[in-house]
Amino acid sequence: MAKPIFITPNWSAPENITAYTTTREGGVSQGDFEGLNVGMHVGDCENAVAQNRAKLPEAQKIVWLNQVHGNSVIELANDRVFDDVPTADAAITRSSIHHCAVMTADCVPILLCDSKGTQVAAVHAGWQGMYKEIIAATVQRFDISAKNLIAWIGPSICGKCYEVDEELARRFCTYAEAITQGSSAGKFQLNLPLVAFKQLSNIGVGQIFQSNLCTYCSHETFYSHRRATHNGLSSTGRIVSVIGLR
Ligand SMILES: [Zn+2]
């Protein structure tokens, strides 16, 4: 079995930060979930998911979340023990004991750290999370100014691949550049990674880097919920974006 292949952010984070996003490569899941699926909740064999998760660097440090497309941010404090999977869509830590992680399959994963390498966060930002301002909610939990933060926008569905109806497009009318006319009447293309960029920029995050990787375009590398739906499947796997302090 091939080893997992990770994507590391092309950013200027300090040396003591561990950050990566998984791909489908190197896992034991089969069938519709083939590859390194880390989503325990998607209908894949739990044993396979556990084996896939165990392949991740310092796997025991990763705190998995029950993600609900909300805007709550959990702090992974030094002394905190996670017997149950906490419900949140973002995690922040100042401890090297816990690593922050968010699972995605088209939604936008965002990794954040401060320029001194003392605190890190991971955000699961789909349209719902961004509409509910989860990015701002996470940035507010850092105890330094946003201008000292570095962000990376990970692999997610691109504007060309994400068609939405007018009602959804209208929710993001503040970000006019992120919306273009779709292929038919009443349809629009929504650029979620650009909305993420704008939100990070508007709250003053000092440095913002973009992966420019699309989960739908590169469906052999990533899981894509939209692609799975277009192929008549009700579910697909998840990649995970992880950040931690060493
Ligand atoms: Zn695309």
Side-chain angles (χ1 to χ4, degrees), residues 5-22:
I5 292 177
F6 302 125
I7 288 163
T8 47
N10 49 327
W11 65 352
S12 58
E15 286 287 308
N16 69 319
I17 306 275
T18 296
Y20 62 90
T21 297
T22 60

Side-chain angles (χ1 to χ4, degrees), residues 156-162 213-218 227:
S156 56
I157 195 164
C158 80
K160 288 193 183 80
C161 294
Y162 191 49
L213 294 169
C214 172
T215 46
Y216 189 100
C217 291
S218 306
R227 172 80 69 174

Side-chain angles (χ1 to χ4, degrees), residues 5-153:
I5 292 177
F6 302 125
I7 288 163
T8 47
N10 49 327
W11 65 352
S12 58
E15 286 287 308
N16 69 319
I17 306 275
T18 296
Y20 62 90
T21 297
T22 60
T23 63
R24 291 183 84 138
E25 208 64 51
V28 300
S29 290
Q30 302 288 321
D32 295 341
F33 301 100
E34 186 179 350
L36 192 84
N37 168 39
V38 298
M40 195 62 90
H41 60 294
V42 295
D44 191 5
C45 163
E46 290 192 5
N47 186 271
V49 177
Q51 286 183 61
N52 291 338
R53 287 181 170 190
K55 288 169 178 271
L56 305 181
E58 299 189 273
Q60 74 290 346
K61 290 190 174 184
I62 297 172
V63 178
W64 299 91
L65 302 177
N66 173 35
Q67 301 171 195
V68 293
H69 296 283
N71 62 0
S72 58
V73 185
I74 186 170
E75 169 138 18
L76 311 178
N78 226 354
D79 54 355
R80 193 141 173 208
V81 180
F82 298 95
D83 292 328
D84 297 318
V85 179
T87 295
D89 284 273
I92 182 167
T93 192
R94 288 164 250 271
S95 160
S96 59
I97 290 173
H98 303 299
H99 284 183
C100 304
V102 289
M103 293 174 281
T104 54
D106 289 343
C107 287
V108 187
I110 297 157
L111 299 179
L112 288 155
C113 67
D114 69 310
S115 54
K116 292 197 173 130
T118 63
Q119 41 203 320
V120 294
V123 186
H124 163 235
W127 76 259
Q128 296 181 76
M130 286 196 264
Y131 185 67
K132 297 169 189 164
E133 306 281 358
I134 190 168
I135 295 174
T138 309
V139 166
Q140 280 160 15
R141 299 289 287 270
F142 281 82
D143 52 23
I144 51 160
S145 159
K147 71 175 192 293
N148 296 318
L149 294 181
I150 307 168
W152 181 66
I153 299 169

